[in-house]
Amino acid sequence: MSNQPVIPFSTTLHVRDTCLCLHAQRAARALARRFDAAFKPLGLTNGQFSLMMALNRPEPPPMGPVAALLAMDRTTLTAALKPLTQRGWITIVADEKDRRGKRLKLTEAGMAVLVEAMPIWRREHDELEAGLSTDPQVLRQGLIEVAR
């Protein structure tokens, strides 16, 4: 007979029903699938859309702030940039102020894809918000607070 501690099944059910992390992960996966499907005709994923939107600034941003905004480490960001550079949607340029640094720039082709993607994003986002049983702004604020 084993003396190993056992967690009762009732605890498993409690965690299943109350774990914020589990429910956030499930919601994130469902949202990712939804937006991936919507962007598929453009050959774009939801992650690529978010990354490219993060680059849509008056000046090309350095990698560090983009990685921080997207909650990625620099290695993960570098991997995510590869397919976008291969498709000609972004370029990685030397930082004029610090030659060791790199800045990320949307190309004209990348901006064209974002222009096509925005009505899709708006439609999906509007439908999603309309179907929520809670105030979208309250939900958004709660997620922002958790991500800090």
Side-chain angles (χ1 to χ4, degrees), residues 79-99:
L81 293 170
K82 260 185 198 171
L84 299 175
T85 57
Q86 290 170 344
R87 295 184 80 174
W89 291 349
I90 66 159
T91 58
I92 302 172
V93 297
D95 188 328
E96 293 178 10
K97 297 175 186 165
D98 178 2
R99 289 290 175 183

Side-chain angles (χ1 to χ4, degrees), residues 46-145:
N46 79 86
Q48 291 169 334
F49 172 80
S50 295
L51 172 50
M52 291 171 65
M53 285 301 295
L55 305 183
N56 186 35
R57 304 177 187 199
E59 295 296 322
M63 290 182 72
V66 173
L69 173 69
L70 298 173
M72 293 181 171
D73 58 55
R74 290 174 66 102
T75 302
T76 303
L77 175 59
T78 299
L81 293 170
K82 260 185 198 171
L84 299 175
T85 57
Q86 290 170 344
R87 295 184 80 174
W89 291 349
I90 66 159
T91 58
I92 302 172
V93 297
D95 188 328
E96 293 178 10
K97 297 175 186 165
D98 178 2
R99 289 290 175 183
R100 296 170 297 164
K102 297 187 183 338
R103 292 190 173 257
L104 308 173
K105 183 177 180 183
L106 277 174
T107 64
E108 284 185 29
M111 181 57 76
V113 170
L114 278 183
V115 166
E116 284 186 80
M118 278 308 303
I120 296 168
W121 179 86
R122 278 193 186 100
R123 181 192 71 229
E124 290 298 318
H125 204 266
D126 289 348
E127 287 175 12
L128 182 65
E129 283 194 359
L132 291 174
S133 61
T134 221
D135 178 359
Q137 188 55 34
V138 171
L139 177 58
R140 206 172 355 267
Q141 190 58 43
L143 292 170
I144 289 168
E145 289 172 13

